[in-house]
Amino acid sequence: MKVKESRKPGRAGKLVYFFGSGKADGDAGMKNLLGGKGANLAEMASLGLPVPPGFTITTEVCTHFYANGRRYPAALKEQVAAALSGVEKILSLGFGDPKNPLLLSVRSGARSSMPGMMETVLNVGLTSATIPGMIAKTGSARFVYDAYRRLIMMYADVVMEKAAGLEPAEGQGVRMQLEHLMEDLKKGHGYTSDTQLTAEELEDLCDRFKAKVREVIGTEFPDDARAQLWGGIGAVFQSWNGKRAISYRKIEGIPDNWGTAVTVQAMVFGNMGDDCATGVAFTRNPGTGENAFYGEWLVNAQGEDVVAGIRTPNALNEHATNDQNRNLPTLEKTMPGLYMELVGYRNKLEKHYRDMQDLEFTIQSGRLFMLQTRVGKRNGPAALRMAVEMVRERLIDKATAVSRVRPGQLDELLHPMIDPVHERDFKPIAKGLPAGPGGATGRIVLTADRAAEWGKAGEKVVLVRQETSPEDVHGMHASEAILTAKGGMTSHAALVARGWGKCCIVGAGAVHINLTQRTVDIGGTVLREGDVITLNGSKGLIYAGALPLVVSDLEQNRDLKDFLHWCDGIRALGVRTNADTPADAAQARRFGAAGIGLCRTEHMFFGEERIRAMREMILSENLLEREQAIFNLLPFQKEDFKGILSAMAGLPVTIRLLDPPLHEFVPHEERLVRELAVGMGKNLEAVKARIEKLQELNPMLGHRGCRLGITYPEITRMQATAILEATAELLGDKVDARPEIMIPLVGTVQELTDQKAIVLAVAAEVKKKYGIRKLPFTVGTMIEVPRAAITADEIAAEAEFFSFGTNDLTQMCCGFSRDDAGSFLPSYVEKKIYADDPFISLDTAGVGKLMQIAVQLGRGTRPGLKMGICGEHGGDPASIRFCHDLGLDYVSCSPFRVPIARLAAAQAELANPRGAVRKPKAGAKKKAVPKKRR
Ligand code: PEP
Ligand code: MG
């Protein structure tokens, strides 16, 4: 049977749902009503698993409690009493019964897990009347008084203090005071562990505890089982509005009106002797995904002892052994019969839930009890392996597998990363923005030249800079990772690093570089150039020293290939890449990119010979000089385009004409300026003056984009010639080249018309020169200026395609500089002024609205107008979902994010199908029409 995902409503008037002895009123589909814990306990009970009997009070009671001045519905008392007597009957015990006492646990359970945010009370029902009976039954006064002191401590803290709204000063809470009493007692006897306390000492401690409670809180600890139970229930409901729970809900976006359920269940004890145990298990290995039972257990212990890390837990079986527990006996060896029984439940639960389960069990006096099952958390590699293997085992279908892996988890497979097992043991020295994922370790270098030099010598280096500029690219390329003190997620360093799949952290304000001393102060730790650091670019964490990395080989990963292939079968949105070199294009193609959505041609000018020609062009003082300089670049550009168009043969390649402000290309260091002046045969002062003149106050809003082509049409002419001649020559060689020429930073249709005219004139010349009638190219534009978005109807009359440049569109729509926003955006996100950094995840309400307007207006003028996105958001899963919903044709992202985008696009389709099912022709078999992907 498959567990239904439906959120089943409860029965009218039913407030309490019983489970136990093979039967249950509820099931796993009732999470909204019974909470995750209650719903799964009910399901396990119905499956016939040995679940201690109990009952769940619904979340609706919680909602009623808060809506009615903290009062319960009238029928609750009676329904709880009936359920409780059901529990008593199954176990032949009585709650509060002096001879055969039943003890209960009272736990919270929201519909989505809120780990540790609400309260629990255990051992409820221990009173002066029931204690002697418990001692007689268990034969251990020590065990009973130990349970009693735990109850007093928990109850005083949770029920008598927190739920009563008492707010003692820091360190004055009742729990702390009771803990001090116990510590003093242990110290007095010279004990180091709780287990050394004797029965008499614990009994005496319980009396002291009760006296302390009276003194601190002013009321007696209740000596009545039912009073304890109702106190516990009330406290769990109150804990829904405790400080921790409220802030957790805010962070996770969990609505306040969901409420928590309360599950009351018979206690079972794993700490009653050596035939008792407790453990946590996963139906498959959550670290690797291997289909092997995995877990830990402790003999004679309570559940919390396994997770608390006070004792080293034993391995469940041979598979789960590691360096720490290798010498400890496994459950498989110690209690083979019970282990086999547990394996049986493992198989049953996984088959039933069709997903990896995280189980809690307790063995009491040789009897196994199942206390919890829930979907287990897993890391990226494990998520992928489980999803793929479960399809092969026919446990789930492909769509389910695709929905089970979070796009971020694929990232873990695509980059080397810090070994998570070891990362936990280290403390980061500072934090920045996670601009390029993965992990890297290397020696600190403070200049790009030194990075290139050391890199060439085979050193692994991390380039640490205030910020980076195009002058640093050689050093950036030679480095394992890049760390900058300034800059946001779309700053130069971030863009370049992401393009190369390089680990990168930007905007780390705690990084202070001292170039004279060649030191860097990172969050108070002063390191010298040459010292080793490690970066976690996925989280933005900086560590001193070398942390171990783990690498995975994508090419060899059969599971990943199959999985992504299934994604392709589902998605409607195309995935292209942003690539500027044939090598990147080829890499992206291997990752599954269906073309290039953005080739930033400026990145092609950074080679030594080219940058000289470029600089000469910029610094020329008349048209003739300029034309000469720029046309020196033509052969280089033509070769570049041939390389990139061939690497993507048969697929579209969007080539954007020159975009960045010109001053980015000129040198600023005195030495380099002098060299340039000499090389150009010009006067040093004249060159300096020209460079000075190129400086702009707001270069991002200055002389860049199509404004360059409008003021210097020869740039456009040269680039169009290079693209179209490359195409003509490739076609002659039977290479299917498909360029799309993109004009950047257009705000009015006239700008586009001006630039397009140049391209068309060049096309006519190229056709003539090569004697061909047809050249397969289109001319389109980027939508990255708000004015372009709101006049998209006019622009679409000229543009054959749109590509949303959401980096600039965000900058101009929100009014945030993309280079400096790192200094204040983290506070904006922290204060929830923006839900996310808008340069990482699309601001759908603002920037998204502009996109929506542009889509509507553009397709109004030109139905079927091809549209994509090439800003950094094209690789962000939430933004991809938005682009899918908006009806874009494709997203374009850096090569290493292509697999992530393929998955995110498939998940977007599963969540919101585009519904491209056409009516079948009469007599034809009904089948979905394949959706177009570009
Ligand atoms: C953009 O603005 O979104 C874009 C892709 O162009 P660039 O980042 O190169 O300005
Ligand atoms: Mg742009």
Side-chain angles (χ1 to χ4, degrees):
M1 186 198 102
K2 186 173 181 315
V3 179
K4 286 179 220 87
E5 289 297 324
S6 69
R7 305 279 179 254
K8 276 210 261 171
R11 269 185 272 142
K14 190 164 173 62
L15 309 172
V16 175
Y17 285 70
F18 178 80
F19 58 84
S21 195
K23 286 198 287 289
D25 296 340
D27 61 45
M30 298 171 89
K31 287 203 176 73
N32 288 4
L33 197 65
L34 305 180
K37 191 177 289 140
N40 282 328
L41 279 168
E43 189 82 15
M44 281 204 292
S46 303
L47 284 171
L49 266 60
V51 172
F55 54 89
T56 300
I57 305 173
T58 68
T59 53
E60 285 174 2
V61 174
C62 185
T63 318
H64 179 284
F65 180 76
Y66 283 107
N68 292 276
R70 313 208 166 191
R71 272 193 298 274
Y72 299 122
L76 185 67
K77 279 243 140 81
E78 202 180 303
Q79 293 192 23
V80 165
L84 184 56
S85 79
V87 176
E88 292 174 322
K89 213 171 281 158
I90 290 176
L91 297 173
S92 306
L93 297 171
F95 187 55
D97 184 316
K99 282 224 177 66
N100 273 317
L102 165 68
L103 301 190
L104 298 171
S105 66
V106 183
R107 297 171 195 265
S108 59
R111 57 169 100 163
S112 86
S113 150
M114 294 172 56
M117 298 300 137
M118 289 184 287
E119 305 295 353
T120 292
V121 191
L122 304 177
N123 305 339
V124 170
L126 272 178
T127 63
S128 51
T130 57
I131 284 173
M134 271 308 278
I135 295 176
K137 269 175 69 91
T138 59
S140 169
R142 193 196 174 282
F143 163 75
V144 175
Y145 282 111
D146 187 51
Y148 194 41
R149 65 102 188 154
R150 288 175 198 256
L151 167 68
I152 301 169
M153 190 183 269
M154 239 183 268
Y155 196 93
D157 173 37
V158 170
V159 185
M160 300 174 76
E161 189 171 273
K162 289 208 182 80
L166 302 179
E167 288 190 11
E170 184 78 31
Q172 295 302 305
V174 68
R175 177 183 278 269
M176 192 74 95
Q177 302 211 32
L178 297 180
E179 266 166 13
H180 286 324
L181 273 185
M182 184 151 151
E183 278 312 306
D184 290 346
L185 182 67
K186 275 164 54 187
K187 245 192 234 147
H189 287 91
Y191 296 158
T192 50
S193 146
D194 298 358
T195 51
Q196 291 169 292
L197 290 165
T198 65
E200 292 72 29
E201 285 157 1
L202 282 166
E203 183 178 358
D204 177 50
L205 183 67
C206 289
D207 286 338
R208 289 204 221 172
F209 265 22
K210 286 192 281 189
K212 193 74 182 172
V213 170
R214 198 180 313 122
E215 177 198 319
V216 175
I217 304 204
T219 41
E220 287 292 334
F221 172 74
D223 196 29
D224 173 78
R226 279 181 166 68
Q228 287 177 3
L229 174 61
W230 282 101
I233 293 172
V236 173
F237 280 139
Q238 295 272 28
S239 71
W240 175 254
N241 269 353
K243 277 194 201 132
R244 267 178 297 158
I246 291 176
S247 27
Y248 185 81
R249 284 205 295 277
K250 247 195 216 137
I251 295 164
E252 294 289 310
I254 297 174
D256 290 338
N257 63 3
W258 276 8
T260 180
V262 177
T263 292
V264 177
Q265 192 178 16
M267 285 292 303
V268 282
F269 296 94
N271 57 341
M272 267 167 54
D274 284 347
D275 58 350
C276 298
T278 188
V280 176
F282 297 87
T283 56
R284 296 184 189 214
N285 187 320
T288 64
E290 189 180 348
N291 186 1
F293 198 21
Y294 183 88
E296 295 177 330
W297 71 292
L298 277 174
V299 73
N300 197 8
Q302 285 216 317
E304 60 195 31
D305 302 341
V306 180
V307 270
I310 306 162
R311 286 162 63 184
T312 303
N314 305 34
L316 199 63
N317 50 21
E318 188 55 36
H319 174 74
T321 51
N322 58 33
D323 290 345
Q324 276 122 43
N325 62 22
R326 199 166 300 288
N327 300 321
L328 305 172
T330 63
L331 185 71
E332 188 177 14
K333 290 242 167 74
T334 316
M335 304 181 183
L338 289 167
Y339 175 75
M340 283 320 292
E341 187 184 342
L342 186 63
V343 169
Y345 301 145
R346 171 238 181 191
N347 296 343
K348 192 165 190 169
L349 283 170
E350 196 179 88
K351 216 165 171 187
H352 182 72
Y353 281 93
R354 295 167 192 259
D355 201 353
M356 188 267 275
Q357 297 291 298
D358 164 352
L359 314 172
E360 282 176 25
F361 64 90
T362 283
I363 293 167
Q364 176 177 308
S365 311
R367 267 186 77 188
L368 173 64
F369 293 94
M370 301 302 293
L371 297 186
Q372 177 156 307
T373 186
R374 60 181 166 192
V375 172
K377 298 222 182 311
R378 60 207 74 181
N379 65 16
L384 177 79
R385 181 166 175 182
M386 283 179 205
V388 172
E389 289 188 355
M390 284 185 190
V391 170
R392 294 191 188 129
E393 292 160 26
R394 297 185 191 283
L395 204 56
I396 56 175
D397 60 18
K398 290 175 184 163
T400 308
V402 165
S403 65
R404 288 250 175 103
V405 181
R406 276 182 285 113
Q409 289 181 313
L410 276 194
D411 232 9
E412 294 173 31
L413 287 149
L414 300 172
H415 302 273
M417 59 171 194
I418 302 179
D419 189 336
V421 178
H422 289 89
E423 189 167 5
R424 271 184 257 136
D425 302 335
F426 290 83
K427 205 168 162 298
I429 52 174
K431 199 169 182 235
L433 297 173
T441 182
R443 295 175 65 190
I444 296 172
V445 279
L446 300 176
T447 59
D449 286 345
R450 188 159 290 182
E453 199 184 300
W454 290 17
K456 216 184 246 167
E459 284 286 354
K460 286 191 185 317
V461 296
V462 175
L463 178 62
V464 182
R465 299 282 288 159
Q466 188 66 11
E467 61 206 332
T468 65
S469 80
E471 279 181 53
D472 292 329
V473 282
H474 59 302
M476 295 168 76
H477 199 254
S479 304
E480 296 295 305
I482 297 144
L483 168 62
T484 71
K486 286 183 75 180
M489 293 295 283
T490 57
S491 62
H492 177 264
L495 280 184
V496 174
R498 210 146 40 229
W500 289 332
K502 222 179 250 291
C503 171
C504 175
I505 297 177
V506 298
V511 170
H512 303 282
I513 299 166
N514 185 334
L515 271 180
T516 0
Q517 312 235 328
R518 305 225 60 107
T519 58
V520 53
D521 177 333
I522 307 180
T525 304
V526 179
L527 299 168
R528 326 200 116 267
E529 190 166 44
D531 287 350
V532 173
I533 54 169
T534 302
L535 307 189
N536 179 338
S538 307
K539 292 193 179 146
L541 302 176
I542 307 158
Y543 298 91
L547 271 67
L549 304 180
V550 283
V551 199
S552 76
D553 185 353
L554 179 69
E555 307 287 321
Q556 299 304 320
N557 195 330
R558 178 88 249 141
D559 284 355
L560 183 61
K561 279 193 178 148
D562 283 356
F563 180 80
L564 290 171
H565 194 62
W566 301 339
C567 292
D568 297 344
I570 292 169
R571 67 189 163 93
L573 197 58
V575 177
R576 295 194 193 180
T577 192
N578 292 358
D580 317 319
T581 64
D584 284 356
Q587 171 71 281
R589 204 169 179 163
R590 282 198 297 277
F591 282 164
I596 288 181
L598 174 63
C599 171
R600 289 180 166 103
T601 50
E602 53 271 20
H603 292 173
M604 297 169 163
F605 293 113
F606 290 132
E608 215 171 293
E609 258 175 294
R610 301 161 184 222
I611 196 122
R612 191 169 343 114
M614 189 69 183
R615 285 168 176 166
E616 285 175 14
M617 186 288 284
I618 295 167
L619 298 175
S620 6
E621 303 190 46
N622 56 55
L623 179 65
L624 200 69
E625 251 183 51
R626 197 156 51 235
E627 279 197 324
Q628 209 155 33
I630 194 86
F631 274 88
N632 281 341
L633 287 167
L634 182 66
F636 296 123
Q637 281 262 276
K638 197 153 86 178
E639 279 316 301
D640 290 337
F641 294 138
K642 274 180 145 179
I644 223 159
L645 287 164
S646 316
M648 280 287 168
L651 297 170
V653 175
T654 306
I655 300 171
R656 179 180 71 184
L657 302 187
L658 199 65
D659 184 10
L662 292 181
H663 78 85
E664 284 196 5
F665 292 97
V666 291
H668 298 283
E669 262 183 60
E670 175 85 20
R671 177 178 59 89
L672 297 173
V673 179
R674 183 165 295 124
E675 270 174 29
L676 184 66
V678 172
M680 286 179 77
K682 283 192 184 265
N683 171 301
L684 175 64
E685 290 315 308
V687 172
K688 273 190 182 167
R690 177 80 182 124
I691 290 176
E692 185 97 347
K693 219 168 149 202
L694 286 169
Q695 293 299 334
E696 293 173 283
L697 278 182
N698 286 311
M700 274 290 171
L701 297 177
H703 196 181
R704 62 176 284 228
C706 65
R707 298 157 204 173
L708 295 173
I710 285 168
T711 46
Y712 301 132
E714 52 278 10
I715 299 179
T716 307
R717 212 172 307 128
M718 183 280 285
Q719 290 202 291
T721 308
I723 297 168
L724 295 174
E725 287 195 357
T727 307
E729 288 172 20
L730 288 174
L731 291 178
D733 294 341
K734 303 266 175 295
V735 176
D736 185 2
R738 301 185 186 186
E740 300 176 334
I741 299 174
M742 181 155 79
I743 316 293
L745 223 71
V746 159
T748 87
V749 67
Q750 286 80 4
E751 289 171 317
L752 179 58
T753 316
D754 177 281
Q755 292 294 289
K756 190 175 166 185
I758 299 174
V759 176
L760 296 184
V762 168
E765 285 165 21
V766 172
K767 280 190 214 161
K768 208 150 128 207
K769 177 171 169 186
Y770 288 84
I772 46 179
R773 289 227 317 273
K774 272 192 174 171
L775 257 181
F777 75 97
T778 52
V779 181
T781 189
M782 293 184 77
I783 302 291
E784 51 184 344
V785 173
R787 194 185 188 285
I790 56 182
T791 59
D793 46 348
E794 295 172 14
I795 291 175
E798 290 291 335
E800 291 172 275
F801 62 87
F802 280 178
S803 179
F804 288 98
T806 44
N807 301 333
D808 277 309
L809 197 58
T810 301
Q811 168 168 263
M812 290 185 232
C813 174
C814 303
F816 296 149
S817 156
R818 48 192 277 195
D819 290 329
D820 292 330
S823 60
F824 57 86
L825 272 183
S827 307
Y828 269 52
V829 175
E830 206 171 287
K831 294 191 170 176
K832 297 266 172 231
I833 293 172
Y834 272 77
D836 289 299
D837 181 334
F839 288 109
I840 301 174
S841 201
L842 260 176
D843 156 40
T844 52
V847 180
K849 186 76 138 294
L850 283 176
M851 292 172 71
Q852 198 180 5
I853 292 169
V855 168
Q856 262 166 10
L857 292 179
R859 290 203 173 132
T861 300
R862 198 187 276 260
L865 176 64
K866 183 155 66 166
M867 295 197 200
I869 177 175
C870 64
E872 288 303 292
H873 307 87
D876 167 64
S879 312
I880 292 172
R881 167 76 204 264
F882 180 80
C883 293
H884 166 90
D885 293 347
L886 204 57
L888 296 195
D889 296 293
Y890 67 86
V891 296
S892 187
C893 54
S894 59
F896 281 86
R897 289 164 95 185
V898 165
I900 294 164
R902 288 161 75 190
L903 169 58
Q907 291 184 342
E909 173 68 20
L910 289 174
N912 180 20
R914 283 214 177 149
V917 181
R918 290 199 206 121
K919 272 208 173 129
K921 282 197 196 118
K925 260 192 164 175
K926 193 175 174 180
K927 81 168 201 246
V929 173
K931 288 151 269 172
K932 199 154 73 176
R933 282 201 301 272
R934 288 184 258 204

